[in-house]
Amino acid sequence: MVESTRSSDYNWAYKTVPQEKSCLEMVNQQCPCPRGKGVGGTTLINGLMFVRGNRIDFDNWAREGNPGWSYEEVLPYFLNMENFNKTDPGAVVDEEYHGHGGNLNVEYPVPRHPLVSLWLDANEEKGYKVVDYNGRQQMGAAVGQMNTNHGRREDGGNAYIKSIRNRRNLKILTNSLVTKVAIGRRSKTAYGVQFAHNGSFYLAKAKKEVILSAGAIGSAQILMLSGVGPSKHLQEVGIEVVEDLEVGSKLQDHATFPKLYFNSDFPKTHKRLNRYIEEYLNGTGALAVPNHYAGLGFYQTKFATEPDYPDLEIMMIPSDGFSEIVEKQLADAKGDTPDPKKSFYMFIAGLHLRSSGTVRLKSNNPFDYPLIDARFLSDPDNVDVDTLYEGVQLALSLVDTKPFKEINTTVVRHDLPACNSKIFLSESYWHCVIRQFTGIVGHPVGTCRMGPEEKSGAVVNAKAEVHGIKKLRVVDASIFPFTFSGHPNAPCVMAGEKVSDLIKQYYLS
């Protein structure tokens, strides 16, 4: 059974079914799977990193039989949606790759944390360029670009819905749960959406189309509840099959090892609380940086498949003693004790993993949470773990540079019963620690993947229309055919803009 723990007004707080492999924050063999709940979806709770991905991601997307999704064809939508602000005057920016005046604000955290400058210097010493990863070249190190507006969260609701919520032709109904898409069994045509609201069921009828944007978990669940999904599974849970499609059959995510901690002699940057609040009210400072993400870089391991196509991301996260997430991470460390006021840590993320899982229904009851089987780090050749291990080695090489040596940087040793027999810093030690601590980063994709043929596992076509069902589209991260070399929020917004144009062209041309 998948249960929700620490659920809130903004987070479904799903958990996976019991997993064979360990993961970060595992309880009863279940891994957390946070998903946003509300207008704006997971942008209500995500890290707000604005990372489009690599041009090869989109060219491969189009090459798989999805015309219109190549980099040159989607770039205008990225530019149109963006309102870019170069708030960090020292940041490397390729201006021609950024838009101004769009709905989604993009800016740099200010002031730049001095440890981030050391991070950039260390990358240059190792031969990596400092880049604008949303510009002409993604490979290299950079200061993070954030979806914040003067230091405040720029979620999808604020960016796109708030300004139009009073339109006469728009009805926003919160405290509601979609239970199924109404589809004619003979005509195989979507004609509405059934939903629950305040203890009653309602049917909202569609004059033209139904557009499903409930995310990689929610959209798969709703389609299967509507009779669109793997026929064998639907029959097992007592749902009449309308269309046999591989909905939920290939769940993918980025794997992240977030427990690479470092101590240093860097001067403490901790300030008094009133100073932090004053900075935040001015749109700056530690409270204006979600989870204190600050620097990141994109790299290749020996497992990379194409030139200039990264398969590894490293996020550099400094602690100045006033970041709840960072403080908790450091407080949970066992072994060497990091000083949360002058330490930092790194996220090591595998971008193109071989492992994949599933989303399935627990029953035909729409109020039951879905069964999420991540099957994390389950590839039989251990390439996923080896990729993260190479990322750890790359990170260690970065701190073995003059900028970090000058502040006496040392790696923190984890005290784990399962790994204590391993020699510290050995390959077997890191493999053990990686398997204990690697977690789902919260970038699920692919459960309603796009493609030209149903027999290859595709659920929607290049126009985001569900195969075999008329007047039904899916537009969210579930349609991505694979994980990107970036974070999914920016491509989700791009997809929304692009499919909006497709819909307008069809009905207004």
Side-chain angles (χ1 to χ4, degrees), residues 136-148:
R136 63 177 62 90
Q137 177 181 335
Q138 187 188 23
M139 296 273 290
V143 182
Q145 298 173 25
M146 313 296 293
N147 286 135
T148 53

Side-chain angles (χ1 to χ4, degrees), residues 205-225:
K205 292 187 177 181
K207 292 182 179 179
K208 290 185 171 65
E209 295 187 11
V210 173
I211 303 169
L212 192 55
S213 298
I217 307 300
S219 288
Q221 180 187 21
I222 293 169
L223 282 180
M224 288 187 285
L225 288 168

Side-chain angles (χ1 to χ4, degrees), residues 221-341:
Q221 180 187 21
I222 293 169
L223 282 180
M224 288 187 285
L225 288 168
S226 310
V228 179
S231 59
K232 182 180 178 181
H233 171 62
L234 297 184
Q235 290 164 0
E236 288 172 347
V237 295
I239 293 177
E240 182 182 350
V241 179
V242 178
E243 188 71 15
D244 182 13
L245 295 175
E246 290 300 329
V247 174
S249 297
K250 194 171 183 181
L251 170 67
Q252 291 187 290
D253 203 327
H254 295 142
T256 301
F257 172 61
K259 294 280 188 174
L260 192 56
Y261 299 147
F262 298 94
N263 264 327
S264 74
D265 291 338
F266 190 78
K268 297 180 180 180
T269 57
H270 185 60
K271 305 169 186 176
R272 292 183 179 275
L273 176 60
N274 61 348
R275 179 58 179 161
Y276 282 110
I277 295 174
E278 180 182 337
E279 288 178 339
Y280 175 72
L281 294 175
N282 289 317
T284 67
L287 295 180
V289 186
N291 299 340
H292 222 231
Y293 298 148
L296 72 164
F298 294 91
Y299 312 91
Q300 283 191 316
T301 73
K302 65 183 180 183
F303 303 108
T305 57
E306 299 183 56
D308 301 318
Y309 191 36
D311 62 342
L312 188 77
E313 177 183 354
I314 299 180
M315 286 178 275
M316 190 275 186
I317 303 163
S319 172
D320 63 358
F322 203 85
S323 172
E324 182 180 349
I325 300 259
V326 175
E327 290 282 319
K328 183 180 185 304
Q329 293 275 10
L330 296 175
D332 287 345
K334 297 179 180 179
D336 299 340
T337 304
D339 181 346
K341 293 183 173 60

